Every structure is written in C-alpha cells, then in structure tokens.
Amino acid sequence: MKQILIIGSGFAGLNAAKVLAGGKNVGITLIDRNNYHLFQPLLYQVATAGLSPAEIAVPIRSLFASYANVRVFQGEVIDIAPNDNLVHTDIGEFYYDYLILACGARHFYFGNAAWEEFAPGLKTVEQAVEIRRRILSAFEKAETISDMQEKSRLLTFLIVGGGSTGVELAGAIAELSRFTFARDFRNIDPTMARIILVEAGPRILPTFSEGLSAAARVALERLGVHVWTSRKVARIDREKVTIDGETVAAATILWAAGIQASGLNRFLGGTLDPMGRIIVEPDLSLKEHNHIFVVGDQAHVARQQGRPLPAIAPVALQQGRFVARNLLREIKGRKRKSFHYKDKGQLTTIGRKKAVMEFGGIELQGFWAWMAWLVVHIYYLMGFKNRLFVLLQWTISYLNYEKGARLIVRKNWRFYGPEKEKDG
Amino acid sequence: MKQILIIGSGFAGLNAAKVLAGGKNVGITLIDRNNYHLFQPLLYQVATAGLSPAEIAVPIRSLFASYANVRVFQGEVIDIAPNDNLVHTDIGEFYYDYLILACGARHFYFGNAAWEEFAPGLKTVEQAVEIRRRILSAFEKAETISDMQEKSRLLTFLIVGGGSTGVELAGAIAELSRFTFARDFRNIDPTMARIILVEAGPRILPTFSEGLSAAARVALERLGVHVWTSRKVARIDREKVTIDGETVAAATILWAAGIQASGLNRFLGGTLDPMGRIIVEPDLSLKEHNHIFVVGDQAHVARQQGRPLPAIAPVALQQGRFVARNLLREIKGRKRKSFHYKDKGQLTTIGRKKAVMEFGGIELQGFWAWMAWLVVHIYYLMGFKNRLFVLLQWTISYLNYEKGARLIVRKNWRFYGPEKEKDG
C-alpha cells in the first residue's frame, strides 16, 4: 500500500485525490487549511454580493465520504523534509511514499505587504467577505454624509490590476451601482459611483488577443468604468492611492495585481521563478526528489515556446488528474508520461450579457461569450446542490438585477468583549 | 408631514415601517446597526451549518426602494433626548415627531460578561458564524488527535439554557453528528459526540405545557442529547463549565440562557423590569413621553393575568404593525387604541420530523407539528427569493441529510497583516 500525501484541495489537489481515490493499493491523505474546496473563479461574485460563500464551497470530507482509502484533515504545513519523506504540520507529522503539493498562490504586493490592509486581494472566502463589507459599507456611509468631497471619496472604487479578476470586480461593482442600487438610496445617486481600473501594462486582459482586450475595455467603459492603462501604482495608503504622482482618494481599494506561489516551495531546494513557482520536470515531479510532484499555481511548467503555463483553473485541474494517473501507472510498474496541457481557451465576464472568450482560434464577445461563460462555470462547479443554487441566484439576478447576498458582516462577533471593532 | 423615526429593523421595527410606508403625510426614517433584516428564528440553522446568512437576511433598503417617503440608514444610536425630540447617532442627529424604539434584546450573562468569550450567544449573524466555526472545528480537530481525553473534550457540546434556542441548537448539533457526519470521518465516530443541554429550571421549554415539554425531552434524548434539568451553571471558563460543583470539559459551550433588553432604555427615564425592558402604556407609548413608542423585546407589556408578553417574534410583529396603525389613526385626528396580543401559539423544532406546537388549546408533537413549523417559517420568511432558497436547502437536507453551509470561516482575512488569528 503506497501512502500518497496531498497538500491543498484546490482544483489541482482535489482532482488528484478524486482520481487516486478510485485506485488500488493506495492510501490517500488530503490536508488543507480549510475544510472546504473553494470554486475560486466565482469568488468575485461573493465579494460583490451576488453569491454566498457556501454556494461556491463544498466540504472536502463529504466528497470523499464513500472512499475508505481517503483521509481528510484540516491542517497547515510547517515544514517539509524531502529526504525523510516527511511533512510536518500543525496537526502532526505525515509520512509519504509520494507527495503532491498543490498549495496554489496568494497575493503579492511586490514587497509592500503593508498595502494589504488598505487594498485586500481576493483569494479566500475571508477576503471576499471583507471586500463585500467594504463595498457595501461605502454606499451605506455615503448615504449618511452631506460633505460632497467625503461622499465622492466613499463612492470611488479603485481596482489595481487589469487581469481577469480586476476586470470581473470592476464590472460587478459597476453593475451593482448602476442597476442593483439604482432605486435604493435617497441622498446619493449610486450611478455616480466612480469605478477605476488601473493596469500597469498597455492593455487590460493582456493574455487575450488585442481585439478582445479592446472589446472588454469598451464594455467596461459602457458600464461607466474608467480604465487607466500604462499607469503604475506607486503607493497605497489608507483610502488613498498614488499613481504617477497623482493621488486618488478612494474608500475602497482592491488588489488584483501580483500573485506569488505558496511559500512551501522554499523547503524543496529547487529553482524558483520570479513568481516563486518551483520549476518542475515534464512529469511535474522535482528533479532532486522524483517522489514529489508540484502542481497548479505552485509549479512552473516551461513550454517549448513562450511563457510557462498560466496560473489558471484548467491548468491546475489537468495537472492534478495527470499526476494521479501517472502515479497509478507507476505503482502498477509502468513508466511515467510527460504532461501536455490541453488548451481550454480563456473566458472572462464583464457583466450581464458581456464576456470575452477565446477557444481554439475562435474569438467571441458579447452575449454568446457570456452564455458560454455561464455554461462552463455551472458545469465545473462542484456538486449538484451548488450548481442548482448558483443557477437560481443568477436567474433571479438576471430577472430583477437583485443581488443574493447584500450582507455587511462585521469582523467582531462579541457584544461585551474587550475587542473593539475597527475599520480596516 | 410628520417625521417618524424608527430605530431597529427586527420584526417590530420593520413591520412598523412597512405599514407606515403606505401612509399619507408621513416621512419615515429607519435606522439599524445592520444593513439587513434578520429572520432570527432560523439563526440556529446558520449556527449549525444548515443555512447561509444571506438566506435568512434581506437588505432593508431594497424592501423600501419603491417608497419615496422612507429613508434607511445604517447607524448606531448614542443617546436619546426625549425632551428635545432628538436621537443622537454615530451618523448624526435625527429629529422626530414620533419615535418608535424596536431595538430588541441581547444575551445577558447575569453579570458575568467575561463568559461571553467562552460561551457565545446566538443573536447576530456574526455570532452564528462564530458558533458554526466552533462546532465544525471541534470535529475537525478531534479527527486529527489521538489523545482520548482531548478527543472527548472536543466532542463535548454543552448548551446552557433549555428554552427554544437551546433545544433547537441541541437537536441540530445532534443531527449533524448522527446523520450528516456519519460517514465523513475516519478517526472519530461523530455519533459518539456528547451533547448536553443544561437547564436551571425543572423542565425544558417551560413556556409549553408539561406534556409537550416532556415530549421534547424524549425526542432530544432519542437523538442522544443529555438533558440536565434543575442544574445551575456556576462558572464558565475556556472550554470548561462548572455545574453544581462538577466540572465538565467541553470545547464548545453555547449560551442560550438569559437575555436583556436594549441598553437604550436607560435614556428614557421610565421603569425597567428585571430583564431591562421598559414598562409601556396600553398603547405601547411611554407614560412621560407619549410620542415615544417602545415595541418588541425592548418593551414590557403587562397582561391582566400572568407574566408580561414574551420576547418572541409574533409579539414584536404585531406590536410593530399596531403602533404604525395607531399613529396613522392619530395623524388623521382619531383616538389611539390599546394593544391586544392575538396569541399565535408556540412552535419549537427539535429535528427532522420532530417538533412541539401549542395553538389555541391544541397541542401537537412529532411529524405534524414539524410540518406546521416548516410552513409557518417559510410563510413568515421575508422575500420570495429567501423562501425559495430555504425551502430548497431543507428539501435537499431532508433527502440526503447533507447540510448546506459546512464552512469554517476564519476571523482574520489577512495573509500578511500584523494581526494573528486566535481561537476564541
């Protein structure tokens, strides 16, 4: 019986575990910081009050309830000892015959970690709830204030980073203010909210073609989003961003720029790329430790031409499945294969009936790209129940522009406690 | 145009606002600490992972979007000046012709506020999410530990208070461990979880008849809940409760015992009862200030025989509507009426197909009481969307015992920040 240890239950880890669970003579241990698998591509909808966290999360252990060879633990890795085949965690030590690392990436502030407090990123449920709190609170506060300058600061939303997440956030905040909130306020006109998307490069969605990138920009601008390209953020303070010497006062600042691979890579002794991803062999194992595989956003997989594989869900999902199948092959005494990514194209939504899509040389924009986006996301969303609920939320939002989760949840749960609630 | 100021948007405040919104020559201002109305009777299901917060909450301002005479603000009251017709809040000063106070109640630890940290109560969304975190985390931690004593501590859930909330929490935790988790763990047997319901009085559900109270006890005990009556909690420490000199180690301690009316009553100068509720006139106004009305859990309404009206949703709802109608009557120049409570009976659920009900002399228990509970709660739940979603969650739970929101959400959203996550 081979012991396979999987760290992380994102798209890569979870799909590896699912394939392995069906295998013979393998014992699988899956460890994650959280007790749920998160469908990250829809996290921006939690941040913009469209969905509830539980609608895009499934408890990991319920997925493996019927597989006696799978153990699931909630825990955090402290150290990895590749030469001893051991992983040290806050819940104890785990031995492995094979180790699959799938710990993903987190936001990176290019050395300015202090910016996080003023400009949260969007990688976790906690961050999504915090961003939702800030966005909704900004409108609530603006309604109570008469000072025009302060009102304008509260109704300015600045998003740093013009990739998929930045575009999706900007589009969703614009729709929230233009449609959902249209009749809800008396002292402010929510449609006057200023939404600014700042991108350091020459165009947004740089991984798409120039045509689609331009189409996305037009779609955002029609929603009233200000798109600032070729402009670099020099500094972020509390409710204030400095861009090219100019200071923009914005109560809500969101970070969708840099990401950095999991810090666990530092225990592995291999070569890291500038994003902190470890460079892996064609079978996704490590050169020095061929019983360790690194997959998903944590790995740097070189391609013959162009840049390494991007940090996106389809790559992680395919790598997870691939490694699992390779392992089962090896355990049966057969040779390992090399990983080849099957390009599933790209999809980003801007808003209602607005999306851009690229697949096998085909480019789509507008309604049909949006339909494709809906179908793909519902299809890949884990679990019958979640699919049903998300589909329903979307149908209701589509019909009446109402959002499903307009809740401002505080950070402190206590009435009496010594802790005082503070604004972030 | 009369200015009517309503503080609080629970059942009392919200229903008052809804009736007034349709009135002529009235301007309504509704202020609440939160941006949503919470359907508190189902909050225990959020705490036990059955529902998401957004499913039992509706954004207040969206309910009044089409009433131009209603303004909604998120704010907190700092002081009331009854002689100046002014309410001071953290978002400014509000003048009123009529004031309706509907601020409800919060948990009360009989002078032991320090217990809150170790034994949260269940009144707010934040508390429900915290309780859910504790319950789910206890099982997750128990799965990772080999020490049997520690395992047993982690799997002990102690609920203080045998009223409706205590009974509902105990029943739901029992079902979670007996059914939902049955096949999900490898190192623990969740069905061995020890759930203890402690009541100081001689029987649980003391407002019900002795027969129904006994039936509820039997139903709980069949689910494996230990019901301890006539036993008083002397002291609560971190994961430890002292009862009659005996110490029980329990990782999860929940408080469902005392409540206390909103502290705003102290600004009003009237007589308070031992629960902090202010004694109101038959028309629910204050003797000294007949332009101020106090309704819901914040008010003490004496009855000719027996105890004052209980702090429950139907009372609050009827009082809110009554005060609004009385005001519209007075504004038209007619005389005020006196409030008479129309008894809607009592309903408490213990679990799947188990509930107790009392209505107009009829007593029901078991399946039909449970069906009545379902119908009543779906009927009163605000908003088409919420009803649909809750009904669906319940149907799915009924079919496969799965719970809809098994998410452990952390208290801290930051990766880099100086704050360190601590266990409560």
Side-chain angles (χ1 to χ4, degrees), chain A residues 33 107 116 126 410 416, chain B residues 33 107 116 126 410 416:
Chain A
R33 311 175 65 181
H107 279 284
E116 186 179 36
E126 289 79 6
R410 285 155 209 269
Y416 297 100
Chain B
R33 311 175 65 182
H107 279 285
E116 186 179 36
E126 289 78 6
R410 285 155 209 270
Y416 297 99

Side-chain angles (χ1 to χ4, degrees), chain B residues 4-165:
Chain B
I4 301 171
L5 180 59
I6 304 173
I7 311 293
S9 70
F11 286 105
L14 192 77
N15 281 286
K18 280 168 79 180
V19 171
L20 287 165
K24 276 175 193 153
N25 296 319
V26 286
I28 300 124
T29 304
L30 179 55
I31 300 180
D32 195 280
R33 311 175 65 182
N34 293 313
N35 74 325
Y36 51 84
H37 164 75
L38 182 65
F39 192 80
Q40 253 182 18
L42 289 179
L43 196 56
Y44 82 95
Q45 296 216 351
V46 174
T48 53
L51 294 174
S52 277
E55 286 161 353
I56 60 162
V58 249
I60 303 163
R61 57 175 72 261
S62 76
L63 292 173
F64 296 101
S66 54
Y67 294 96
N69 60 338
V70 181
R71 300 185 304 164
V72 176
F73 295 112
Q74 188 180 6
E76 223 157 322
V77 172
I78 294 165
D79 190 10
I80 300 171
N83 298 321
D84 306 327
N85 284 28
L86 279 181
V87 171
H88 299 276
T89 75
D90 62 349
I91 54 167
E93 204 172 84
F94 290 84
Y95 172 83
Y96 61 81
D97 294 308
Y98 292 102
L99 174 63
I100 301 175
L101 290 169
C103 302
R106 58 189 196 178
H107 279 285
F108 184 53
Y109 291 83
F110 307 118
N112 301 289
W115 293 1
E116 186 179 36
E117 188 188 341
F118 315 125
L122 183 64
K123 279 278 174 195
T124 66
V125 164
E126 289 78 6
Q127 289 166 342
V129 171
E130 171 67 13
I131 291 174
R132 181 179 70 182
R133 192 183 72 76
R134 293 188 186 201
I135 295 172
L136 298 180
S137 295
F139 285 96
E140 291 295 335
K141 280 186 203 160
E143 172 80 350
T144 69
I145 271 170
S146 50
D147 181 79
M148 287 312 290
Q149 203 175 339
E150 176 68 359
K151 234 187 236 279
S152 138
R153 190 187 61 81
L154 283 165
L155 293 181
T156 301
F157 301 83
L158 192 144
I159 300 128
V160 185
S164 268
T165 306

Side-chain angles (χ1 to χ4, degrees), chain A residues 33-36 52-55 57 59 61-62 64-68 70 72-74 91 106-109 113 116-117 120 124 126-127 130 134 140 143-144 183-187 260 385 388-389 392-393 396 402 404-410 412-417, chain B residues 33-36 52-55 57 59 61-62 64-68 70 72-74 91 106-109 113 116-117 120 124 126-127 130 134 140 143-144 183-187 260 385 388-389 392-393 396 402 404-410 412-417:
Chain A
R33 311 175 65 181
N34 293 314
N35 74 327
Y36 52 83
S52 278
E55 285 162 351
R61 57 176 71 261
S62 75
F64 295 101
S66 53
Y67 294 96
V70 182
V72 176
F73 295 113
Q74 187 179 6
I91 53 166
R106 58 189 197 178
H107 279 284
F108 185 54
Y109 292 83
E116 186 179 36
E117 188 187 342
T124 66
E126 289 79 6
Q127 290 166 341
E130 171 68 14
R134 293 188 187 200
E140 291 295 336
E143 173 80 351
T144 68
R183 296 184 316 139
D184 281 11
F185 291 85
R186 303 287 173 263
N187 302 334
Q260 190 181 41
K385 195 214 78 189
L388 184 69
F389 277 72
L392 259 168
Q393 289 281 19
I396 293 167
E402 191 47 82
R406 274 171 62 183
L407 238 66
I408 299 176
V409 178
R410 285 155 209 269
N412 185 9
W413 57 270
R414 275 195 262 177
F415 272 130
Y416 297 100
Chain B
R33 311 175 65 182
N34 293 313
N35 74 325
Y36 51 84
S52 277
E55 286 161 353
R61 57 175 72 261
S62 76
F64 296 101
S66 54
Y67 294 96
V70 181
V72 176
F73 295 112
Q74 188 180 6
I91 54 167
R106 58 189 196 178
H107 279 285
F108 184 53
Y109 291 83
E116 186 179 36
E117 188 188 341
T124 66
E126 289 78 6
Q127 289 166 342
E130 171 67 13
R134 293 188 186 201
E140 291 295 335
E143 172 80 350
T144 69
R183 296 184 315 137
D184 281 10
F185 291 85
R186 302 287 174 261
N187 302 335
Q260 190 181 39
K385 196 215 77 188
L388 185 67
F389 276 72
L392 258 167
Q393 289 280 19
I396 291 168
E402 193 46 84
R406 275 171 60 182
L407 238 65
I408 300 176
V409 178
R410 285 155 209 270
N412 185 9
W413 58 270
R414 276 194 262 177
F415 272 131
Y416 297 99

